[in-house]
Amino acid sequence: MADGAAPNCHLQLEWVYGYRGHQCRNNLYYTATKEIVYFVAGVGVVYNTREHKQKFFLGHNDDVISLALHPERTLVATGQVGKEPHICVWDTYNVQTISILKDVHTHGIACLAFDHDGQRLVSIGLDSKNTICVWDWKKGRVLATTPGHTDRIFDVSWDLHQPNKMISCGVKHIKSGIFSMNACEEGFATGGRDGCVRLWDLSFQPVTLIDLRETDQGYRGLSVRSVCWQGDHILVGTQDSEIFEIVVHERNKPFLIMQGHCEGELWALAAHPTKPLAITGSDDRSVRIWSLIDHALIARCNMQEPIRCVAVSSDGIHLALGMKDGSFTVLRIRDMTEVVHIKDRKEAIHELKYSADGAYLAVGSNDNSIDIYGVLQRYKKVGECVGSLNFITHMDWSADSKYLQTNDGSGRRLFYNMPYGKEITNKEEMKATQWATWTCVLGPEVNGIWPKYLDVNDINSVDANFNDHVLVTADDYGLVKLYRYPSFKKGAKFKKYMGHSAHVTNVRWSYDYQWVISIGGADHSVFQWQFIPEKKSKEFLQIVIQESFADSNSDLSDSDQSDVPELDSEIEQEIQISYHRQIYKEDLPQLKEKCKEKRQAATAKKREKAPDSSLRLHFVHGYRGYDCRNNLFYTQNGEIVYHVAAVGIVYNRQQNMQRFYLGHDDDIVCLAIHPLRDYISTGQVSRDSAIHIWDVEVLKPLSILKGHHQFGVCAVDFSADGKRLASVGLDENHTIVLWDWKKGEKLSSVRGSAEKIFVVKFNPYIPDKLVTAGIKHIKFWQRAGGGLTGRKGCFGSLQKTETIMCVVYGWTDEMVFSGTSAGDICIWKDMFIIKRVKAHDGPVFSMQVLEKGFVTGGKDGVVVLWDDTFDRYLKTYVIKRSALAPGSKGLLIEDNPSIRAISLGHGHVLVGTKNGEILEIDKCGPITLLVQGHMEGEVWGLAVHPHLPICATVSDDKTLRIWDLSPSHCMLAVRKLRKGGRCCCFSPDGKSLAVGLNDGSFLIVNPDTLEDLVTFHHRKEHISDIRFSPGPGKYLAVASHDNFVDIYNIMSSKRVGICRGASSYITHLDWDKRGKLLQVNTGAKEQLFYEAPRGKPQMINKSKVEKMDWSSWTCVLGPSCEGIWPMVSDVTDVTASCLNANKKVLATGDDFGFVKLFRYPVKAKYGKFKRYIAHSTHVTNVRWAHNDRLLITVGGADTSVMIWTYEVDGHKQTRQYESEESDFDSDEDGGYDSDVARENEINYTIRALATSLRPMSGIKPHLQQKEPSLEERQGIVRGSRPPVSRALPQPEKLQTNNMGKRKKPIEDLALVLAFGYRGNDCRNNVHYLNDGIDIIYHTASVGIVHNIATGIQSFYLEHTDDILCLTVNQHPKFQKIIATGQ
């Protein structure tokens, strides 16, 4: 297998040494099974002291800093720090996530507490307001939230007697040295800075005192951070990461059950060369030896200086310690006595290594040099390596001890001759060198650990296992990774393991390669991982399936891999599609606000009214198949529902009629049907993407879900009971959201995948389970409160991760069937493949489950019916032109089109293709073509026949099509072109059709047969517009992006004139009625005129242009259409216009996807209009039919052709979601009132930020940023990963404790009376209360209850800015309940 592939071996977390005692409290408890639960780094630990075993909860991705035990003592809640911190509620028995609570707190969760019946959980954040949040943790819902205290809150507890009350304490809450208090049936236990544990009875009378400092295990400075009393056992957690267990009747003999390094970064790590021991050293000045078999600390020695690196001699006798002050010390391992202490350097020693033969010790420092010492000469200095220009980071000796390779902080790899330290400049002679170890991060053998295209330095340590050809790495993101060794190509695939919180500073293999040891810098923890080699991987996978929690510590890489099969061309093409818009429709209000001056100037002038007539969407040609799937269904009554552009379409195939849902304003890219087939869910592209659930009969929205997806929604699915909806976003994380769609509430959310997700599917048997599939991705999800926990599908140890295109559930809740990009059907049980069947040539894009079998469709254009086990196929249907039934509504473009959607119902199979076609297959065999549209590629060319109800379109999909505008609404003819086209035009007699292509050529064809009549190729850039002259159609004007208009004589087939002088590409052109004059618009917004046929430029006064008789008007510039340009025309274009035959109504299409009607001429700026939304982005062309009864429009990238009925005033029907009047109305529309106008102009946002009349300074107390706490300064609160450097950290400033200083108390002010009432811009904001005894109103930010008889006022003072509205609840149950908004 290629070296870029991930290794087939695994790591499994076996033991964690350490306990988080610093900066935390009350984080140590007994569970119901008498196990001990606590946390360290990002891991929740459940420790069975009797069996000396640990279980791990690995659901966090950063430091855990708070823990609460459920009253039943089986569940635990843990909270973490981070930019988006979350709370996990998990089971201590199986360490599975029960609920995830998120999206409220920032920075971190300081403390947690369950209420006494365990139904609610309170959390306190680390944000500046120390926000308090109460959760219904089972549902993941927030019940209440409020700002806490201005200073840090340390603890919170529920009131035992009043279930809705709680108490919190912290800085300036309670000034005390007590760090921990625990209540139990017997009484209370407290612990504090004095190292004492005190037991109290229920009336808080002292029972006993245990001074841990005076015990055998005690020491000076011991500080208690957590205490738990249960029966005759007491658990004690200390500041220095120790856990003691005290038996009450032997209180003077506490048992030390867990130890870890204290506060200060942990960098030093080495493995003993002949024994299962690991040695660590830390900034806490201690060196510790750990037994990897007994999982215990067996030796400890305190040094005078912080330790930054350690090394063990090859015979295992000596232990060398590199210090932060530039010295190093050598100890005898057996008794930890000092052999020698040497200080030759001033800067920290960051790496040292014994040679393979044990004769030398290399010592690398931050002084940029490496000193070589002779071990047998009592560590006499014998050499020095001085080639580095930066501090030394890594070193390795050769197997023969003759060479040393080094890495330094500048990213250089150097070689030296040993022992004297002469640099080797010719690196070629080092290629054959065998190395005793490989711990360097630079070199060809470890290229794979670095990303392909980025130059980053975030890998702190590596270590190679030469026996199993595996490399383990540690990085700044808390990840331990496994790569193949050697790994020559950058961007190799890996397996990653989480547990450490921030940077993993060092990693080493044990002497026999049974274990990997990793250490965390700031989390002070030592992790011991069991190594499962390739030969035992299958056994490991069986263990994983039985103990599913074990899977949470393993994950495959998200990087590009060399061993993944190449993607199919269609899938590759789809991935490249960008759904981002330069400007979104929701940007319009802000853009208009910026144009306020233009708007005020426009309202001062009288503008032409919008036309009285209107449009109604009548028929749409097209189906979105090129980048969507499973978006085609039968409804309850046999109609067909699908989408194209921004339109949801319900098609009655018997009557050939369409009905439309027009609630969207941008491309719909996914669709799902309710299990009862009466409701539809559609998701669109947008900055704040919306999902609409609408009724298929009345075409009205039932629910609109917004606020949780960015850029678009690419997949949706209803649950089997129809109560929930799952959606997947188009953001970079492809966020998955579960909704209670009727309430419009988000239930859960989680980051899905870095790669695109194609499908999401609910488990029909268990609504809390679902599966997602996409690029190199299939994942099985379980809802957990406000989050989801996921497990990746396992393709087997030797199989590659595949791209999954479709997925369905089978006959049980564990059986899942998926279609791959290679054409296979994979059958899954739980998360493992149990069977693979070859189904199609090319990707399987669609699959549906039947009562007794399955139906699949693929890129090969074949529909296959299968039995219920995929053992054999029952029938196949091949989509071919020869199989089309006579009643088809069009022509099939090609045989075997790629199938994107399949649906069954009413005795038929419904098929949607990539080419924009919808076909219906009768189970007996005949195939009927129902719907057709252009394929992928922008549609620009549109022309209407001068006498008949037909139109022609041409597209970048390289097809020219003729459409029937009569009630049959079908495609009459189609022709494939050698190039895509952007324009077309019928001759005045309708006997010729000119088509401009994208390579600069154009052709004239017979519109009946689409056969060529003549072809010309005089330009290089694409032809942008083409027009026959009126009357006999003697001349043809051809405009190109070469900035020219060529004029051809059709009779002689020769070019007779060229119109020159345009400074940009040509966009539009029109002939006058006589065929003597051309009007031209350019991309530089020039309006030019040329005399035909020679193309001589003409200067015509603008006032005369309007009076001239034009054969057509499709130009967008000039005084007669000045008003069609919107205020935001500097960021968007009007792409097309067309004037109807009676020259009264001008239709336009623009870049926002709007079709507009204006009253012609539109002389004043910003004319009034009627606006219609159905296209998604730019409307590229609009044309009136020959009798003006229909308007035809085409959308660029949405590929649709839309036919609108033109309804003259008096015949229009009222419809929802179709028209919108122009953006603002002038005064004459509804009268003018100065008060209304003044109030309308008030801008509360700007006014709030405006300079005050009187100078003011300072910030309201509740808005003040609090001073960062010591813990925040030390890095416990992290919005992102801290930078890691081997350079020495700056010394911290001294902290002064002002707790004991007395401060003068500040007198409180109490509001007695408020004069005033807010009436200048508010209404309906004064009410009677208490049967007319009181009145309620507001002024400023105060709600006032005023007693009429006494004049006494009482106040509601929780608002922080102007109150603008007030209402009183009129329901008898909720009397005296007021709502106010600010």
Side-chain angles (χ1 to χ4, degrees), residues 619-660:
F619 203 89
V620 178
H621 292 287
Y623 157 69
R624 181 95 177 209
Y626 65 87
D627 63 344
C628 300
R629 58 201 52 77
N630 299 324
N631 58 345
L632 178 64
F633 297 97
Y634 283 110
T635 66
Q636 266 183 354
N637 56 12
E639 293 180 308
I640 296 167
V641 62
Y642 60 98
H643 64 86
V644 70
V647 185
I649 302 173
V650 182
Y651 174 57
N652 186 312
R653 64 195 194 285
Q654 283 84 20
Q655 299 176 8
N656 195 30
M657 289 177 63
Q658 294 176 342
R659 298 182 295 120
F660 310 103

Side-chain angles (χ1 to χ4, degrees), residues 1080-1093:
V1080 172
N1081 291 175
T1082 75
K1085 296 193 175 166
E1086 302 164 300
Q1087 184 183 24
L1088 306 174
F1089 300 94
Y1090 297 92
E1091 188 180 44

Side-chain angles (χ1 to χ4, degrees), residues 941-1096:
L942 172 64
V944 292
H945 195 281
H947 314 302
L948 301 175
I950 61 173
C951 70
T953 57
V954 64
S955 162
D956 289 347
D957 69 0
K958 301 179 184 177
T959 63
L960 169 66
R961 305 180 187 224
I962 307 294
W963 306 90
D964 188 354
L965 300 179
S966 68
S968 69
H969 294 303
C970 65
M971 190 175 74
L972 299 172
V974 61
R975 174 187 165 177
K976 286 189 175 181
L977 305 170
R978 69 176 186 277
K979 291 287 183 182
R982 284 286 173 110
C983 57
C984 56
C985 181
F986 281 97
S987 62
D989 59 5
K991 294 180 179 179
S992 302
L993 176 62
V995 183
L997 303 182
N998 292 345
D999 62 351
S1001 68
F1002 72 92
L1003 49 122
I1004 302 174
V1005 301
N1006 182 326
D1008 298 323
T1009 62
L1010 298 187
E1011 293 176 353
D1012 282 0
L1013 300 175
V1014 66
T1015 304
F1016 293 92
H1017 195 161
H1018 288 128
R1019 296 294 170 197
K1020 295 178 180 178
E1021 297 290 328
H1022 72 251
I1023 305 301
S1024 54
D1025 205 357
I1026 193 165
R1027 283 302 169 82
F1028 282 97
S1029 62
K1034 181 180 179 183
Y1035 297 109
L1036 181 68
V1038 183
S1040 76
H1041 268 224
D1042 285 338
N1043 304 2
F1044 299 108
V1045 178
D1046 297 313
I1047 302 175
Y1048 294 82
N1049 186 317
I1050 298 303
M1051 310 301 177
S1052 62
S1053 297
K1054 290 183 179 178
R1055 182 167 59 173
V1056 294
I1058 301 175
C1059 305
R1060 296 182 172 89
S1063 61
S1064 183
Y1065 56 89
I1066 312 300
T1067 59
H1068 306 83
L1069 56 86
D1070 286 303
W1071 290 88
D1072 75 332
K1073 263 280 175 61
R1074 300 173 302 140
K1076 299 289 186 181
L1077 191 67
L1078 271 175
Q1079 175 185 192
V1080 172
N1081 291 175
T1082 75
K1085 296 193 175 166
E1086 302 164 300
Q1087 184 183 24
L1088 306 174
F1089 300 94
Y1090 297 92
E1091 188 180 44
R1094 299 301 173 199
K1096 183 180 178 182

Side-chain angles (χ1 to χ4, degrees), residues 529-802:
W529 308 83
Q530 181 191 359
F531 175 62
I532 294 113
E534 188 170 338
K535 57 192 174 192
K536 293 184 179 179
S537 286
K538 289 185 179 179
E539 298 171 26
F540 171 72
L541 290 176
Q542 292 304 315
I543 295 169
V544 167
I545 194 169
Q546 291 164 11
E547 304 175 14
S548 56
F549 60 84
D551 180 60
S552 60
N553 64 12
S554 166
D555 206 356
L556 289 175
S557 72
D558 297 322
S559 59
D560 294 333
Q561 300 98 30
S562 56
D563 64 321
V564 170
E566 286 187 15
L567 285 176
D568 178 84
S569 58
E570 280 190 19
I571 303 170
E572 189 70 53
Q573 192 177 354
E574 186 176 333
I575 295 171
Q576 302 304 319
I577 295 172
S578 172
Y579 297 94
H580 290 235
R581 311 278 192 240
Q582 285 185 322
I583 302 165
Y584 292 88
K585 289 188 176 75
E586 59 255 56
D587 296 333
L588 273 174
Q590 293 92 325
L591 292 170
K592 288 172 186 168
E593 188 62 39
K594 291 179 182 177
C595 304
K596 194 171 182 181
E597 291 180 8
K598 292 183 185 178
R599 174 174 173 165
Q600 288 171 344
T603 49
K605 299 176 184 176
K606 184 175 181 179
R607 297 175 300 134
E608 196 67 51
K609 285 185 178 180
D612 296 323
S613 49
S614 61
L615 296 177
R616 176 173 57 87
L617 189 57
H618 179 62
F619 203 89
V620 178
H621 292 287
Y623 157 69
R624 181 95 177 209
Y626 65 87
D627 63 344
C628 300
R629 58 201 52 77
N630 299 324
N631 58 345
L632 178 64
F633 297 97
Y634 283 110
T635 66
Q636 266 183 354
N637 56 12
E639 293 180 308
I640 296 167
V641 62
Y642 60 98
H643 64 86
V644 70
V647 185
I649 302 173
V650 182
Y651 174 57
N652 186 312
R653 64 195 194 285
Q654 283 84 20
Q655 299 176 8
N656 195 30
M657 289 177 63
Q658 294 176 342
R659 298 182 295 120
F660 310 103
Y661 176 75
L662 294 161
H664 289 281
D665 59 7
D666 210 326
D667 272 323
I668 299 173
V669 287
C670 59
L671 182 147
I673 194 163
H674 191 275
L676 297 178
R677 297 186 173 267
D678 53 353
Y679 300 154
I680 302 296
S681 170
T682 42
Q684 71 167 70
V685 174
S686 181
R687 179 178 281 114
D688 180 13
S689 309
I691 302 163
H692 292 226
I693 294 92
W694 45 280
D695 189 307
V696 78
E697 285 300 319
V698 298
L699 302 170
K700 289 185 178 179
L702 304 169
S703 183
I704 296 176
L705 312 175
K706 294 185 76 172
H708 294 281
H709 288 302
Q710 289 183 315
F711 307 124
V713 181
C714 59
V716 287
D717 188 46
F718 282 100
S719 60
D721 60 6
K723 294 179 180 178
R724 297 181 185 178
L725 185 80
S727 59
V728 180
L730 279 169
D731 56 288
E732 61 182 10
N733 296 311
H734 296 94
T735 302
I736 302 164
V737 180
L738 293 191
W739 307 83
D740 180 335
W741 64 266
K742 288 185 179 177
K743 295 179 180 177
E745 288 182 6
K746 183 195 80 169
L747 300 175
S748 306
S749 66
V750 70
R751 293 179 178 179
S753 170
E755 301 281 4
K756 186 172 181 182
I757 293 175
F758 293 131
V759 60
V760 59
K761 206 77 181 171
F762 268 105
N763 187 317
Y765 308 98
I766 306 172
D768 279 344
K769 287 188 175 183
L770 59 149
V771 61
T772 56
I775 301 291
K776 294 176 283 189
H777 166 93
I778 182 168
K779 205 160 188 179
F780 300 87
W781 302 92
Q782 167 84 46
R783 187 189 170 203
L788 292 141
T789 57
R791 296 182 299 164
K792 285 192 174 181
C794 182
F795 286 86
S797 58
L798 300 176
Q799 294 179 0
K800 304 165 185 174
T801 303
E802 293 191 55

